Amino acid sequence: MDQRAPNLLDEALGLVDEEKTKPWPLSSRVVLVEDRVETSGAFVLHHLLKRALSPHSSNDVVVFLAFSQPFSHYDRILRKLGCNLTAQRENNRFFFLDLLMSEFPDGDEGNNDGLVALYGKIEKVVSTSFQENKKCITIVIDDFSLMEVAANGATNYVLDFLRYCRTLTSAFGCSLVVLNHEDIYSSIERPALILQMEYLADILIKAEPLATGLATDVHGQLTVLNKEIQDGQGSSRNKICNFHFRVKENGVEYFYPGSKT
């Protein structure tokens, strides 16, 4: 990918010239990434992870809750993007919580592996990092649906967990990034759960297949809804961006529909 080309995802999120922008544009905001089985949005997490750990943000910290993949998976992918997660973990900038085999029994608040205890671990890392004058802390949940599975389908418990994490965004200026699979829920389940998650989000990113079907040079489309953007005149508005993407070995190419020949 031509590094001089504009990154449409960064532009939609306000991350252009991030090293010149203080504070981190995603501070105190909740980012929800929704994808589908045939169109994974994991590359958005990888991109935001790389940006949060960039050399221009040496005082920033990421707390990563891994329900979907082990550390080695993310370390391999981020190395291709120019980010060494092993080094970042050793430098106390990347806190990886391996939750692949975790179970959260209903109502068992005394269980060390429960959601309450998990939130306590996150809060401890966040408060300690804040006291160490870290500029911004990003909390990432790599698969909300698998968190539900770990909680035995207790949707209310995991939604409460998200709400508690959301309080950290206002108390400490954290960012909260969550990936969820939109099309795994039945038509009955979807309205309540998805709408509640979208309501909690300040930024909604949808990764979807093309309406025209599969294509060799286009892997899908992204729609970014950035809520309550300040327009410079004291008022706010919603900003919507839509563009196509192509996932490559060492990055992702973004472009407007019809711009590729």
Side-chain angles (χ1 to χ4, degrees):
M1 177 179 175
D2 185 353
Q3 296 299 319
R4 296 171 297 177
N7 186 308
L8 298 180
L9 178 58
D10 280 347
E11 290 181 353
L13 297 175
L15 299 180
V16 179
D17 294 330
E18 172 224 330
E19 64 272 16
K20 301 177 183 178
T21 305
K22 296 181 181 180
W24 165 247
L26 300 183
S27 292
S28 302
R29 310 200 79 192
V30 177
V31 181
L32 173 61
V33 182
E34 290 181 349
D35 67 3
R36 299 188 179 185
V37 172
E38 68 270 36
T39 312
S40 172
F43 66 89
V44 178
L45 292 192
H46 305 152
H47 179 75
L48 294 178
L49 183 56
K50 177 187 176 183
R51 293 303 301 259
L53 295 173
S54 74
H56 302 294
S57 55
S58 59
N59 289 327
D60 292 356
V61 167
V62 173
V63 184
F64 198 97
L65 282 63
F67 290 90
S68 177
Q69 299 289 347
F71 175 82
S72 58
H73 170 83
Y74 294 106
D75 189 35
R76 182 179 69 255
I77 291 177
L78 268 293
R79 281 179 187 269
K80 293 180 180 179
L81 301 180
C83 179
N84 188 329
L85 291 185
T86 300
Q88 301 289 5
R89 185 166 62 174
E90 292 173 353
N91 292 332
N92 292 323
R93 292 192 61 201
F94 184 63
F95 296 86
F96 187 87
L97 303 182
D98 189 336
L99 302 166
L100 270 65
M101 305 301 293
S102 296
E103 293 184 0
F104 308 124
D106 293 350
D108 189 3
E109 295 185 3
N111 192 306
N112 288 333
D113 294 328
L115 287 173
V116 173
L118 176 60
Y119 174 77
K121 293 179 182 178
I122 297 170
E123 185 180 34
K124 182 178 180 180
V125 173
V126 169
S127 59
T128 300
S129 299
F130 187 79
Q131 292 171 7
E132 294 174 353
N133 198 32
K134 301 300 183 183
K135 291 188 299 182
C136 182
I137 302 130
T138 301
I139 303 167
V140 180
I141 301 175
D142 73 347
D143 196 322
F144 181 84
S145 63
L146 289 180
M147 175 182 278
E148 278 191 285
V149 172
N152 297 319
T155 300
N156 289 337
Y157 287 126
V158 290
L159 282 173
D160 284 344
F161 178 84
L162 283 186
R163 294 186 183 102
Y164 278 114
C165 288
R166 193 177 193 275
T167 64
L168 297 177
T169 66
S170 56
F172 297 98
C174 298
S175 306
L176 174 61
V177 181
V178 183
L179 173 65
N180 195 30
H181 310 302
E182 183 181 14
D183 58 348
I184 66 171
Y185 301 97
S186 70
S187 58
I188 297 177
E189 293 175 316
R190 185 192 180 282
L193 176 64
I194 297 295
L195 289 177
Q196 287 188 65
M197 293 188 68
E198 291 179 354
Y199 175 79
L200 289 173
D202 299 296
I203 300 173
L204 174 62
I205 304 174
K206 283 179 172 282
E208 300 173 300
L210 296 177
T212 55
L214 297 176
T216 57
D217 58 342
V218 183
H219 293 158
Q221 62 181 345
L222 278 185
T223 302
V224 181
L225 170 61
N226 205 332
K227 301 178 185 177
E228 298 185 358
I229 294 296
Q230 298 300 316
D231 62 6
Q233 299 179 355
S235 60
S236 61
R237 59 181 177 83
N238 292 344
K239 177 182 178 182
I240 300 178
C241 300
N242 180 270
F243 43 87
H244 291 170
F245 66 87
R246 180 185 181 190
V247 180
K248 297 183 175 182
E249 180 69 16
N250 298 317
V252 181
E253 184 180 6
Y254 306 99
F255 45 91
Y256 290 115
S259 63
K260 289 185 69 67
T261 58

